[in-house]
Amino acid sequence: MPVHRPGSARRRLVASLAAAGLAVLSLALPASARSADVPTRGSAYMGMGVLAHDGQSGTPSSGDATQTEGVDVSGHQGNVAWSTLWNSGVKWAYVKATEGTYYTNPYFAQQYNGSYNIGMIRGSYHFATPDTTSGATQANYFVDHGGGWSGDGKTLPGALDIEWNPYGAACYGKTQSGMVTWIRDFLNQYKARTGRDAVIYTATSWWTQCTGNYGGFASYNPLWIARYASDPGTLPAGWAYYTMWQYTSSGPTVGDHDKFNGAYDRLQALALG
């Protein structure tokens, strides 16, 4: 027959209450603090951090100079209805090709070739993860998996998507000078492989925080600014104008819509180099 110990019941009650308290505390934590909400590597896309840190749903003002509508897509969009976009006036597209050295977009062929076949000028982009491998290593991976360039008049230079880290610290654990070095490493290797200067996609607030608002790339690398508002706002140091502007993540057919800062013939000139 078991011996009754009055203290054991109290200990069980205390343990039960403590477990319940931990469960309630876990539910009270913000989503960002729960490890289960950290995205899966490879799932990042252009502008992923803009809404969280710097974003609204943008509507460009009607007073803008002549601009040419574009979109950017990733694996999140799956098979894209390119004819619908073309008929709505979209004339160019960027497609996510790679991320780090561990991910390639499974829908890349449909998106990259589909936009080309419907008549668009298109290019590809790389989502940078400066905390995983060097800039040159990622540039090589990008070029080897869809990020190349050809002078066919329908292919835009590759774009480096450098923005908030969706998997951890905003600046990927790098100092401002370390980040500038990483970006330069990527850009130099991309040009060595393709003969073209890559486009830099970023947001002014991230660029200021993580590079110290470095202005040394503006002479050669076109700027693709991200800002979901009625205008692109203050640009990063060195750039007197933007080449492209991602102005919304809630556009028609696919969410991310962009403006090329010029008429269609200037877009063609960028493609030709």
Side-chain angles (χ1 to χ4, degrees):
M1 184 173 180
V3 178
H4 176 64
R5 294 185 176 88
S8 63
R10 285 195 297 272
R11 285 193 295 272
R12 287 195 298 271
L13 177 60
V14 170
S16 177
L17 289 172
L22 287 172
V24 171
L25 178 61
S26 175
L27 290 173
L29 288 172
S32 60
R34 297 181 212 154
S35 60
D37 291 321
V38 175
T40 304
R41 286 274 180 181
S43 64
Y45 53 88
M46 187 171 274
M48 188 173 187
V50 178
L51 275 174
H53 296 88
D54 199 23
Q56 302 172 32
S57 180
T59 303
S61 63
S62 58
D64 291 333
T66 301
Q67 296 185 326
T68 307
E69 188 77 5
V71 295
D72 58 270
V73 298
S74 68
H76 288 276
Q77 279 77 36
N79 292 323
V80 175
W82 291 112
S83 60
T84 302
L85 287 164
W86 177 259
N87 291 335
S88 72
V90 173
K91 300 302 179 187
W92 60 277
Y94 265 90
V95 175
K96 181 181 179 181
T98 51
E99 176 179 322
T101 53
Y102 50 79
Y103 173 86
T104 58
N105 176 6
Y107 292 94
F108 181 78
Q110 192 277 344
Q111 295 173 350
Y112 192 71
N113 297 330
S115 53
Y116 178 93
N117 291 337
I118 204 68
M120 293 183 190
I121 298 176
R122 50 73 163 115
S124 57
Y125 77 86
H126 174 78
F127 192 95
T129 57
D131 58 337
T132 60
T133 45
S134 73
T137 298
Q138 291 192 30
N140 284 327
Y141 186 79
F142 179 42
V143 173
D144 292 341
H145 296 87
W149 175 81
S150 62
D152 59 2
K154 299 294 290 292
T155 304
L156 292 162
L160 173 64
D161 178 357
I162 186 79
E163 56 173 295
W164 291 275
N165 178 10
Y167 312 116
C171 301
Y172 300 85
K174 292 197 172 293
T175 64
Q176 292 175 340
S177 61
M179 182 63 74
V180 170
T181 297
W182 191 97
I183 294 170
R184 182 183 295 112
D185 196 31
F186 181 99
L187 298 175
N188 287 345
Q189 185 63 14
Y190 185 82
K191 185 165 187 179
R193 290 288 306 275
T194 66
R196 292 300 307 269
D197 288 302
V199 175
I200 295 176
Y201 167 98
T202 197
T204 300
S205 56
W206 183 91
W207 190 262
T208 301
Q209 176 186 353
C210 296
T211 74
N213 206 19
Y214 180 75
F217 300 127
S219 297
Y220 298 100
N221 300 97
L223 173 66
W224 188 350
I225 193 68
R227 186 170 189 255
Y228 304 159
S230 60
D231 62 72
T234 302
L235 303 181
W239 282 283
Y241 59 89
Y242 65 90
T243 297
M244 301 164 192
W245 167 30
Q246 186 189 55
Y247 66 88
T248 186
S249 65
S250 56
T253 309
V254 300
D256 293 351
H257 277 244
D258 310 86
K259 297 289 186 184
F260 175 80
N261 193 11
Y264 186 74
D265 64 330
R266 302 316 305 155
L267 181 67
Q268 289 175 308
L270 178 62
L272 287 169

